[in-house]
């Protein structure tokens, strides 16, 4: 019987445990990992799901799974790799690429996740040892180039929720040094408590607006999430303390603090997840 820790959207352990297979209570999340493994040639280890898997049988993916009760995200990542493909990774060789809070995803048959997903990248140059795996979850594994993985995706042989790979692994990360720290002002067009214009069930838990006279890549004025008050606003002035960079969209979202104080990453990710759960991205501070 597999047990998980339950978390709040702010990544706080609640002290409650959950049994795999049961419905996760509303407002709670469990921790999952996706583990990409890269060798010095720039190839990635891709595994094929066994034919007996209940979902996506015989499709290709990276290693991943749920973090068990009492484990850290890094510990869960290393364990999953050992279980699925038989490799003993150096836990210090891993880098957390980004975290994403997932509720439901309309793109993939309205699947409900209720999880916090950590995406890891580990460097590894040893031999493959699938025979040392401790589960039968993987039928085969091999090193693939980015082009190979792209071909799998186009042929719909790669688990489609991994589409973020082609943006998240870009070597040239965006530079927001000229943006973070700026003092900005603007207009709030969706105040706390308002509903999304395209989804009336989606209510804004924080103020959301745009910077007057500053235009984003979509040709519209730059969107911002505004932190520092629980009251609806019409106008705002504050400091940009972070940028949420969407991998699968043309526009970024600037994070503005009204009093200029820093906001913990977990707080930002938790409060913007009502909308950003539908996108893949990374927070830059």
């Amino acid at each position: 019987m597999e047990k998980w820790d339950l978390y709040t959207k702010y990544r706080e352990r609640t002290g409650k445990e959950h049994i795999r297979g049961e419905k996760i209570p509303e407002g709670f999340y469990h921790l999952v990992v996706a583990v990409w493994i890269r060798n010095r040639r720039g190839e990635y280890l891709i595994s094929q799901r066994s034919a007996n898997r209940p979902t996506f049988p015989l499709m290709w993916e990276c290693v991943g799974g749920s973090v068990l009760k009492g484990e850290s995200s890094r510990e869960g990542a290393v364990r999953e790799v050992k279980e699925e493909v038989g490799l003993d990774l150096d836990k210090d060789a891993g880098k957390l690429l980004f975290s994403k809070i997932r509720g439901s995803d309309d793109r993939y048959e309205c699947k409900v996740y209720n999880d916090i997903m950590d995406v890891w990248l580990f460097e590894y140059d040893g031999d493959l040892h699938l025979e040392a795996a401790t589960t039968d979850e993987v039928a085969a594994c091999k090193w693939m180039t980015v082009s190979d993985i792209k071909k799998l995706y186009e042929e719909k042989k790669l688990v489609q929720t991994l589409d973020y790979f082609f943006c998240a692994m870009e070597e040239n990360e965006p530079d927001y040094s000229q943006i973070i720290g700026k003092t900005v002002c603007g207009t709030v067009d969706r105040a706390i408590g308002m509903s999304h214009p395209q989804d009336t069930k989606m209510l804004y838990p924080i103020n959301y607006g745009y910077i007057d006279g500053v235009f984003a890549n979509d040709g519209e004025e730059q969107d911002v999430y505004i932190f520092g008050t629980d009251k609806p606003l019409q106008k705002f002035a504050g400091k940009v303390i972070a940028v949420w960079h969407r991998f699968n969209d043309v526009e970024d979202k600037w994070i503005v603090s009204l009093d200029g104080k820093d906001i913990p990453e977990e707080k930002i990710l938790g409060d913007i997840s009502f909308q950003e759960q539908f996108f893949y991205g990374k927070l830059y501070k």
Side-chain angles (χ1 to χ4, degrees):
M1 182 171 57
E2 186 172 302
K3 293 183 179 181
W4 305 333
D5 287 307
L6 288 180
Y7 293 78
T8 69
K9 67 179 181 179
Y10 302 116
R11 208 185 177 100
E12 301 162 325
R13 268 189 182 151
T14 64
K16 300 179 182 294
E17 66 177 36
H18 181 77
I19 297 174
R20 179 172 187 160
E22 296 182 356
K23 183 178 179 180
I24 295 178
E26 186 71 26
F28 293 92
Y29 301 81
H30 71 109
L31 190 59
V32 301
V33 290
V35 188
W36 295 91
I37 303 170
R38 183 173 63 194
N39 63 24
R40 69 181 65 186
R41 297 186 300 275
E43 299 168 326
Y44 293 86
L45 183 62
I46 303 298
S47 59
Q48 185 181 36
R49 296 168 68 88
S50 296
N52 61 4
R53 299 291 294 275
T55 58
F56 307 116
L58 296 179
M59 292 189 70
W60 295 83
E61 63 176 356
C62 66
V63 174
S66 296
V67 175
L68 301 181
K69 178 177 171 59
E71 280 185 331
S72 67
S73 176
R74 185 183 295 269
E75 290 168 343
V78 171
R79 174 188 51 75
E80 285 288 340
V81 171
K82 176 62 176 178
E83 289 182 355
E84 292 190 13
V85 293
L87 299 184
D88 292 301
L89 293 182
D90 176 0
K91 63 180 178 60
D92 295 324
K95 173 187 177 183
L96 181 62
L97 294 179
F98 67 92
S99 296
K100 174 180 170 59
I101 299 172
R102 302 190 297 181
S104 60
D105 198 326
D106 292 335
R107 295 175 304 158
Y108 304 108
E109 300 178 351
C110 297
K111 179 177 174 59
V112 177
Y113 295 97
N114 288 342
D115 62 28
I116 301 171
M117 182 179 73
D118 285 346
V119 179
W120 289 90
L121 175 64
F122 279 81
E123 305 291 342
Y124 175 80
D125 275 300
D127 296 327
L128 300 183
H129 295 287
L130 184 56
E131 73 281 357
T134 59
T135 69
D136 63 354
E137 298 176 56
V138 171
C141 62
K142 57 183 177 179
W143 295 109
M144 292 189 185
T145 64
V146 174
S147 295
D148 295 332
I149 301 169
K150 182 69 171 178
K151 184 177 180 181
L152 281 180
Y153 179 75
E154 291 171 347
E155 295 174 349
K156 298 192 182 304
K157 295 178 181 178
L158 185 78
V159 174
Q160 297 291 287
T161 54
L162 302 181
D163 56 357
Y164 66 84
F165 168 84
F166 305 103
C167 297
M169 297 300 175
E170 291 180 351
E171 292 186 6
N172 298 320
E173 293 195 335
D175 180 8
Y176 296 114
S177 59
Q178 301 302 310
I179 296 172
I180 296 173
K182 288 182 61 172
T183 299
V184 296
C185 59
T187 301
V188 174
D189 56 352
R190 300 176 198 174
I192 290 175
M194 288 182 63
S195 60
H196 192 282
Q198 298 175 341
D199 184 355
T200 57
K201 294 180 181 178
M202 182 189 294
L203 301 180
Y204 282 77
I206 58 176
N207 289 290
Y208 180 82
Y210 56 87
I211 300 172
D212 297 329
V214 175
F215 291 87
N217 290 335
D218 63 350
E220 302 291 336
E221 287 175 298
Q222 177 63 55
D223 292 331
V224 295
Y225 289 107
I226 303 153
F227 287 77
T229 183
D230 58 2
K231 295 180 172 29
L233 299 176
Q234 293 181 323
K235 293 286 186 176
F236 71 90
K239 186 170 85 172
V240 180
I241 59 168
V243 175
W244 170 255
H245 171 62
R246 286 179 173 177
F247 297 143
N248 50 344
D249 195 28
V250 297
E251 57 177 324
D252 295 331
K253 305 295 182 182
W254 294 7
I255 310 300
V256 171
S257 170
L258 293 176
D259 59 9
K261 293 182 180 179
D262 189 31
I263 308 292
E265 182 170 327
E266 292 79 7
K267 170 69 173 171
I268 296 173
L269 293 177
D271 280 352
I272 69 175
S273 65
F274 75 100
Q275 180 165 249
E276 298 307 327
Q277 65 178 304
F278 303 112
F279 299 90
Y280 280 99
K282 180 176 179 178
L283 189 69
Y284 288 86
K285 297 185 74 177

